[in-house]
Amino acid sequence: MKNRILYTKPSITEKEVEYATDAARNGWGERCHEYINRFEESFKQHLGVHYAIATSSCSGALHMGLAALGVGPGDEVILAETNWIASAAPITYLGAKPVFVDILPDTWCINPELAEAAITPRTRAIVAVHLYGNLCEMDQLLAIGDKHGIPVIEDAAEAIGSIYHDKRAGSMGRFGTFSFHGTKTLTTGEGGMFVTNDPDLYEHVLTLSNHGRARGQTKQFWPDMLGFKYKMSNIQAAIGCAQIERIDELIHAKRNIFLGYREGLKDLPLRMNPEKIDTVNGYWMPTIVVDEGVPFDRDHLLALFRKEGIDGRVFFWPLSSLPMFDAQIEHQVSYGIYLRACNLPSYHDMSIADINRVCKVIYESMQRGREY
Ligand SMILES: *Cc1c(COP(=O)(O)O)cnc(C)c1O
C-alpha cells in the first residue's frame, strides 16, 4: 500500500513539543507573555524590521493595519485579481471596496502598470500579495505609491523565505502581514504577524490589537479607541519560537522540494514559480502552469491524483469570479491561467520518491511518456 501524499503538513519536532509543553505548564500569570515577546523579537530579527505584533491570523493583521491607515466606507484598495479571499475580505470589513487588477503572466502577481491605472481619488492603499512565494515587482509598486502618496502594503503570508533585492518579503511596504496557518511554511496552527518600520503605525496597531487600550494607559478597563481582538496566545507563540529557530531548515526543505519538481518536470511544456534575477523564492507552493495551447485538463489531473492517493489543489480562482463580486472577465491573464494550473503537494518531509510519484502522474495526465 502506497503512502498517501498530503498537500501540506507541518514539521513538528521535539523542540516545538518542548516549548509548547513549557508554555502550557508554566506560561501563565506573570509569564503569560514570555513566548509572545520572544517570538516577536525573533521574527523581527529574521525579517529585518523594527516592529512586530503577533496576531491570531493574517486576516486579523490585515484588518488592523488597513484600519490604522484609515481605510473606511467608500474607499478603494487595489489588489490583484488572482488571490485568496483572505487578502480581499478585510478590505470589505471596513466598508471599503477591493479593486481588482490583472496579474503579470510570469509571476502571477499584481501588474504594477494596471495598478497605477486603477488609482482614483478614493484609493487608500495597494496590496502587494507575493503569490505562492513569487515576488511582486516591489521597486515599481513602491515608486507608484510614492508618486501618488498611496501606501503599498505587503501580504507576505505565502512568502516567508522570499527575498527581493536583499530585502525579505514583508519588510518593504508600509506594513507587512504573515500567516502561520497550518498550511504555511512556518506554522503555529493558527496565527499571524503584523510588521512595520513605522513607529506611529506600530503604536496605533498595538493599541487596536488590545481592544483599543493604549500602552501606558493606567486606568483599568479603559479603551482609548474601538479596537479589535486578534491576539496570539502564549502557547501558539511557543510553537512559533521553535519554528523560527528552525526557519532556515523549513525554507530549505521547501526550496529542495521545488527543485525536485522542476527537475522532474523539465521536459514538459509548462512553467513553474519563477525566481527572477536578484530574488530568492521561498517556494511556499510549487505550482505548474501548462503552456497555452497545450491540451490539459486540470480536473482530470486532480482525479488522477486522487486515484494515486495524492492531494493536489486548484490554482486560485479569479476573485471577481466568486459569487460576492461582479465578474471582470476582461482580466484576461487571471481568467486565462487558472484552468491551466495546479498546486502540487510540498510538505517538509516529502521524499524525492514521493515527488517523482507526483511527477509521474503529471506526465500521465499530459499523455506523455516519462522521459527521465
Ligand atoms: C493564508 C493566507 C492568508 C490568510 O491567513 P490567515 O492566517 O488564515 O488569516 C492571507 N493572505 C494570503 C496570501 C494567504 O496565503
Side-chain angles (χ1 to χ4, degrees):
M1 186 62 192
K2 283 189 207 158
N3 62 305
R4 194 176 155 78
I5 299 183
L6 296 172
Y7 181 57
T8 60
K9 184 171 57 175
S11 168
I12 300 300
T13 64
E14 275 311 304
K15 192 190 281 282
E16 282 81 358
V17 173
E18 188 195 309
Y19 289 5
T21 304
D22 178 53
R25 210 170 256 139
N26 307 310
W28 309 102
E30 286 183 345
R31 302 185 57 187
C32 73
H33 293 119
E34 275 182 13
Y35 279 108
I36 298 172
N37 294 338
R38 186 167 139 192
F39 185 36
E40 288 172 347
E41 283 307 314
S42 312
F43 201 81
K44 271 165 29 183
Q45 271 181 21
H46 169 74
L47 216 66
V49 292
H50 294 314
Y51 307 104
I53 301 171
T55 59
S56 53
S57 69
C58 178
S59 304
L62 272 170
H63 191 181
M64 291 192 294
L66 290 166
L69 291 183
V71 173
D75 290 341
E76 295 173 355
V77 175
I78 296 169
L79 76 164
E81 169 76 82
T82 297
N83 261 313
W84 174 227
I85 188 69
S87 301
I91 300 165
T92 68
Y93 302 162
L94 294 161
K97 180 177 181 247
V99 173
F100 306 131
V101 300
D102 210 354
I103 55 172
L104 294 168
D106 54 350
T107 64
W108 323 323
C109 291
I110 192 164
N111 180 324
E113 278 159 29
L114 297 177
E116 182 167 31
I119 291 172
T120 74
R122 307 252 46 169
T123 305
R124 290 288 169 274
I126 298 171
V127 186
V129 185
H130 305 296
L131 206 80
Y132 299 136
N134 305 351
L135 286 148
C136 294
E137 302 296 333
M138 288 308 292
D139 280 350
Q140 251 179 298
L141 288 170
L142 290 168
I144 291 164
D146 274 351
K147 182 170 148 200
H148 295 271
I150 293 169
V152 175
I153 67 190
E154 291 177 273
D155 181 349
E158 303 176 0
I160 228 171
S162 295
I163 303 172
Y164 178 90
H165 303 184
D166 294 328
K167 291 197 178 120
R168 288 196 177 270
S171 70
M172 295 168 274
R174 179 72 64 84
F175 69 81
T177 61
F178 289 85
S179 172
F180 309 128
H181 179 253
T183 55
K184 300 296 186 341
T185 301
L186 183 163
T187 189
T188 59
E190 293 281 0
M193 194 73 80
F194 172 92
V195 300
T196 185
N197 286 317
D198 177 334
D200 298 330
L201 187 64
Y202 167 69
E203 284 299 333
H204 193 161
V205 173
L206 194 64
T207 302
L208 287 178
S209 76
N210 191 20
H211 282 310
R213 292 179 291 186
R215 187 154 64 156
Q217 174 56 264
T218 51
K219 266 198 266 184
Q220 290 183 337
F221 294 128
W222 187 264
D224 298 274
M225 59 180 80
L226 266 180
F228 299 94
K229 187 60 192 302
Y230 289 134
K231 299 220 275 191
M232 177 179 279
S233 77
N234 200 51
I235 298 175
Q236 290 169 303
I239 296 176
C241 284
Q243 293 261 292
I244 196 85
E245 280 181 34
R246 296 178 53 226
I247 190 64
D248 291 340
E249 178 198 341
L250 295 175
I251 295 165
H252 182 73
K254 281 287 186 186
R255 287 185 54 82
N256 257 353
I257 291 166
F258 180 86
L259 297 177
Y261 277 125
R262 203 174 60 185
E263 177 62 23
L265 299 171
K266 68 172 191 278
D267 300 326
L268 292 178
L270 53 79
R271 279 174 295 160
M272 298 188 70
N273 315 53
E275 186 167 58
K276 289 192 169 180
I277 201 140
D278 274 343
T279 73
V280 176
N281 196 321
Y283 292 133
W284 170 60
M285 182 130 299
T287 296
I288 55 168
V289 175
V290 174
D291 291 351
E292 255 171 300
V294 174
F296 174 73
D297 181 341
R298 175 195 69 175
D299 295 327
H300 175 63
L301 173 60
L302 287 170
L304 288 179
F305 275 164
R306 265 194 304 279
K307 218 174 71 193
E308 289 294 318
I310 297 167
D311 279 347
R313 291 285 188 281
V314 301
F315 197 85
F316 291 130
W317 305 90
L319 286 175
S320 76
S321 73
L322 301 178
M324 64 296 285
F325 300 115
D326 296 326
Q328 293 181 278
I329 54 170
E330 66 274 21
H331 296 156
Q332 288 178 9
V333 184
S334 288
Y335 276 81
I337 236 173
Y338 72 103
L339 290 173
R340 289 189 283 119
C342 189
N343 300 150
L344 309 179
S346 65
Y347 57 90
H348 185 81
D349 301 312
M350 194 170 183
S351 68
I352 189 74
D354 285 346
I355 292 171
N356 285 335
R357 240 175 87 196
V358 177
C359 292
K360 186 159 175 259
V361 176
I362 298 171
Y363 271 84
E364 202 182 310
S365 84
M366 295 179 72
Q367 294 169 327
R368 293 185 184 234
R370 205 167 182 233
E371 293 148 20
Y372 64 98

